[in-house]
Amino acid sequence: MISSVLAVAMAVWMQPADTTRASREAFTTCLRTYVDRVTQSRMTPADFATAYPQQCTEQQTAFRTAVITRERASRMSQADSEESANMEIEEARLNFSERFDMAQPATRTAEAPAATTAPAATASATPAATPAAATTAAAAPAATPAAQPASQSTPH
């Protein structure tokens, strides 16, 4: 029992600390704050796409440096360390960019009113609008050779 506790304690003690945690949290907090602010102010997607890459650059640089340092300490090459840092930064930025996109109100296109004026034409053309019983009865013949047992499909 005591040896189990000591083994677990040693394993926890020997694990390296996450050296990127503080810089990652600072970077993502900055992105979250910015996205929340522009969402509430109803910034247009075009304006967001222009302004977003320039936001949180100091935190991004600190996070990038921390990731590269962590990866180099793991004996990863400089090029691979930089690629890893770039991927983590792109992932964080994409996450908050998608959060902004999801917060946008649904936009109505010019096709939407046309679809509502002719529901009969679209209902028959789309399988999702047709009841399942109507599609299976119309689509499948009463008896197909594949559906018949082998003894009934071959003449004797």
Side-chain angles (χ1 to χ4, degrees):
M1 175 72 174
I2 293 176
S3 62
S4 300
V5 172
L6 286 175
V8 170
M10 292 268 306
V12 169
W13 179 72
M14 293 176 60
Q15 284 193 350
D18 183 6
T19 57
T20 63
R21 181 177 182 182
S23 58
R24 179 187 313 108
E25 287 178 358
F27 180 50
T28 57
T29 299
C30 179
L31 292 175
R32 180 180 305 106
T33 302
Y34 175 73
V35 168
D36 288 347
R37 188 181 74 227
V38 299
T39 299
Q40 290 175 357
S41 68
R42 302 196 188 273
M43 179 183 274
T44 66
D47 290 342
F48 178 80
T50 302
Y52 185 58
Q54 286 86 32
Q55 302 305 311
C56 308
T57 55
E58 290 178 22
Q59 294 86 348
Q60 177 178 318
T61 301
F63 179 53
R64 185 176 198 283
T65 301
V67 171
I68 291 172
T69 302
R70 178 193 69 201
E71 300 298 355
R72 293 292 292 159
S74 303
R75 300 180 189 253
M76 190 179 278
S77 71
Q78 181 68 28
D80 288 344
S81 298
E82 290 174 3
E83 181 180 349
S84 179
N86 290 339
M87 287 190 325
E88 288 193 39
I89 289 167
E90 287 175 22
E91 184 178 314
R93 284 201 174 268
L94 179 62
N95 180 24
F96 286 100
S97 176
E98 288 175 347
R99 187 178 280 195
F100 173 80
D101 291 341
M102 289 187 303
Q104 295 304 302
T107 58
R108 300 187 88 190
T109 62
E111 298 173 10
T116 58
T117 58
T122 57
S124 63
T126 58
T130 309
T135 59
T136 55
T144 59
Q148 295 175 349
S151 62
Q152 294 179 358
S153 63
T154 55
H156 289 203

